[in-house]
Amino acid sequence: MRSQILALFLSLSASSSALAEMHEVRMLNRGAAGPMVYEPEFVHARPGDTVKFLNGSRGHNAVTVDGMLPEKSSGFKGNLNEEIEVSLDQEGFYGIKCSPHYAMGMVMVIRVGDAALPDDFVGADVPARARQRFEEILARAGLAQ
């Protein structure tokens, strides 16, 4: 009986990790939405999913924006030209920026789970072009603030 329970537990554990999805995001100098973009610009992931940031063009990175991530998340920071994979277990919204091109509006949004968009998601200290892009991304995703 004990071995059957253990086998069932292991089977369920393996199947839940097998359900996790990999989302690929390209970091580009120019894309469908213009210059300095992530494609896609919005990812709706489930807890446990992984987001992989790919070098579509050199000179970019992926970094969480301070104040634009779930409370219990420590965020992440990729180096320039680094392709990184990030597992997202904490439900909520993540604002992502490219450090050297943040003021030019190179940002994206990741939603994990079905959390509601915080009223103050786009903080006051976000550069004007990045703020505009965040608002456009959220509007296209049907989540306008």
Side-chain angles (χ1 to χ4, degrees):
M1 178 71 168
R2 183 178 262 178
S3 63
Q4 291 171 333
I5 292 172
L6 179 60
L8 177 62
F9 174 75
L10 291 174
S11 171
L12 290 174
S13 295
S15 66
S16 66
S17 64
L19 297 176
E21 188 175 343
M22 170 74 74
H23 304 270
E24 292 186 346
V25 176
R26 295 182 327 151
M27 302 178 283
L28 301 169
N29 289 339
R30 177 164 292 284
M36 304 301 162
V37 295
Y38 293 96
E39 284 186 354
E41 64 186 12
F42 181 83
V43 170
H44 190 175
R46 294 181 310 232
D49 282 0
T50 299
V51 177
K52 182 175 185 177
F53 292 90
L54 304 169
N55 282 323
S57 304
R58 296 192 52 75
H60 302 295
N61 67 348
V63 179
T64 49
V65 179
D66 290 339
M68 295 181 73
L69 60 157
E71 278 186 34
K72 296 179 184 175
S73 175
S74 58
F76 58 87
K77 180 179 182 178
N79 295 317
L80 284 180
N81 303 314
E82 179 182 27
E83 293 189 351
I84 62 170
E85 290 185 19
V86 181
S87 293
L88 301 169
D89 297 318
Q90 188 65 41
E91 286 200 27
F93 283 81
Y94 295 75
I96 311 299
K97 68 179 180 180
C98 172
S99 298
H101 303 111
Y102 185 39
M104 296 174 70
M106 188 167 177
V107 297
M108 72 167 294
V109 176
I110 300 173
R111 181 183 191 184
V112 178
D114 293 320
L117 180 67
D119 291 334
D120 59 347
F121 181 66
V122 182
D125 59 345
V126 173
R129 183 67 182 122
R131 172 182 298 286
Q132 179 183 352
R133 279 248 177 109
F134 274 127
E135 290 170 356
E136 292 168 356
I137 291 166
L138 293 169
R140 283 191 287 272
L143 299 164
Q145 283 193 300

